[in-house]
């Protein structure tokens, strides 16, 4: 729910606080692996919060998630997604895919 709230508000700081580092960010045609919150924030909100990302993650049903080998995948289907799982005893974002 916190991930969806951060995405719907397009709050990069809040999303960064929910992330474990290093984190994989797979943009179309390229990828990044920010090693810190500062490196993640440097990617910029406009690059992270694409309309497709906000729609797919912001409208996902977090109550219907089932675990996969990668963790939990938050999206509405085949669109951009956020992958999160347990890192050091707490849930955290481990990947963002576009």
């Amino acid at each position: 729910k916190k991930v969806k709230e951060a995405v719907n508000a397009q709050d990069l700081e809040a999303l960064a606080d929910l992330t474990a580092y290093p984190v994989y960010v797979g943009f179309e045609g390229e990828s990044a692996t920010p090693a810190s919150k500062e490196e993640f924030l440097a990617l910029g909100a406009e690059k992270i919060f694409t309309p497709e990302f906000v729609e797919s993650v912001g409208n996902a049903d977090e109550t219907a998630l089932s675990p996969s080998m990668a963790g939990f995948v938050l999206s509405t289907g085949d669109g951009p997604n956020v992958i999160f799982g347990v890192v050091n005893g707490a849930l955290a974002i481990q990947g963002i895919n576009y």
Side-chain angles (χ1 to χ4, degrees), residues 30-84:
E30 66 175 309
S31 66
T33 310
S36 66
K37 179 179 176 180
E38 293 73 26
E39 288 181 19
F40 182 76
L41 292 172
L43 294 173
E46 59 286 337
K47 192 162 185 176
I48 297 292
F49 297 116
T50 65
E52 298 82 10
F53 179 77
V54 173
E55 181 179 334
S56 181
V57 176
N59 292 327
D61 181 2
E62 75 277 7
T63 64
L65 296 177
S66 56
S68 70
M69 292 299 288
F72 294 94
V73 180
L74 186 63
S75 76
T76 55
D78 292 336
N81 62 58
V82 168
I83 298 173
F84 65 95

Side-chain angles (χ1 to χ4, degrees), residues 3-4 11 18 20-21 29 36-37 51 58 63 66 72 74 88 90 96:
V3 172
K4 283 181 54 176
D11 185 341
L18 297 170
Y21 300 96
S36 66
K37 179 179 176 180
T63 64
S66 56
F72 294 94
L74 186 63
N88 297 326
I96 298 175

